[in-house]
Amino acid sequence: KAGVTQTPRYLIKTRGQQVTLSCSPISGHRSVSWYQQTPGQGLQFLFEYFSETQRNKGNFPGRFSGRQFSNSRSEMNVSTLELGDSALYLCASSLVRGPGNTIYFGEGSWLTVV
Amino acid sequence: AQKITQTQPGMFVQEKEAVTLDCTYDTSDPSYGLFWYKQPSSGEMIFLIYQGSYDQQNATEGRYSLNFQKARKSANLVISASQLGDSAMYFCAMREAVGNFNKFYFGSGTKLNVKP
């Protein structure tokens, strides 16, 4: 059974550009969440999608957005990139929502903004 | 207050010995889940073990066990017979329901180094 797949794995962007990251959850998983990981701030929750609707959002500016498609695949977009957006972006999926549900992560997308 | 606290930024353990990574949590929700993840330098977060707040027994998964002490709000990870491949960052996490939604909280992590 394939795990969570994130693309691209590595990318370099210039300040001011925008970037789109993609996440394919484990087959059958309908909940997808995104996290940003930096050495200084650790792991921070970005947003969670379930049934194509954003159900929860972390404390990030509006430049960070996302969406989920009917097949549960999700994308996140960062516009007007800043140097501080350089981070590992992790996507996670779970079967159903609920505090007892295990979430599984992808390998992440390493974004460098120069 | 911090939802998840990991007080050990770094730990060393000798190969084949056991090691305990500490984690305390803070919640007023009676229903919650506790997780441990391993993150090698490649970046992927690998699920290790899960403990539900209503589970009576400590969770175990192979060499991993979770020492769940509910009254103390502690969920320590015990790795038995450490291997060199266990060297990685380890994150404790908690998932709780907030209204109709869920929120996931991570600790700051513990970097484990296994010495040969």
Side-chain angles (χ1 to χ4, degrees), chain A residues 15-92:
Chain A
R15 260 186 311 176
Q17 286 186 315
Q18 67 93 27
V19 66
T20 299
L21 308 178
S22 179
C23 172
S24 293
I26 292 172
S27 178
H29 285 196
R30 294 172 60 196
S31 175
V32 174
S33 49
W34 289 88
Y35 297 82
Q36 182 197 63
Q37 186 177 24
T38 58
Q41 298 294 324
L43 268 161
Q44 292 187 285
F45 171 77
L46 279 157
F47 23 64
E48 180 186 7
Y49 286 88
F50 181 76
S51 294
E52 302 177 62
T53 302
Q54 188 181 89
R55 302 289 179 170
N56 210 347
K57 192 177 192 304
N59 190 24
F60 278 83
R63 300 185 297 108
F64 291 81
S65 63
R67 58 178 175 167
Q68 187 180 32
F69 302 95
S70 57
N71 61 357
S72 295
R73 191 177 70 84
S74 177
E75 288 180 349
M76 68 161 281
N77 185 77
V78 188
S79 62
T80 320
L81 283 165
E82 300 176 0
L83 296 178
D85 297 333
S86 295
L88 174 65
Y89 290 88
L90 290 161
C91 170

Side-chain angles (χ1 to χ4, degrees), chain B residues 54-106:
Chain B
Y54 294 119
D55 294 343
Q56 298 287 338
Q57 297 201 335
N58 288 341
T60 59
E61 289 284 349
R63 294 187 299 111
Y64 304 107
S65 61
L66 198 153
N67 185 357
F68 182 44
Q69 298 187 46
K70 195 170 183 177
R72 296 180 60 189
K73 293 189 175 177
S74 122
N76 298 339
L77 177 70
V78 180
I79 305 175
S80 62
S82 297
Q83 301 172 355
L84 295 178
D86 293 336
S87 293
M89 283 289 287
Y90 288 81
F91 290 93
C92 178
M94 176 177 68
R95 186 169 186 169
E96 63 178 8
V98 180
N100 291 325
F101 310 118
N102 297 297
K103 290 202 81 172
F104 216 87
Y105 304 92
F106 284 86

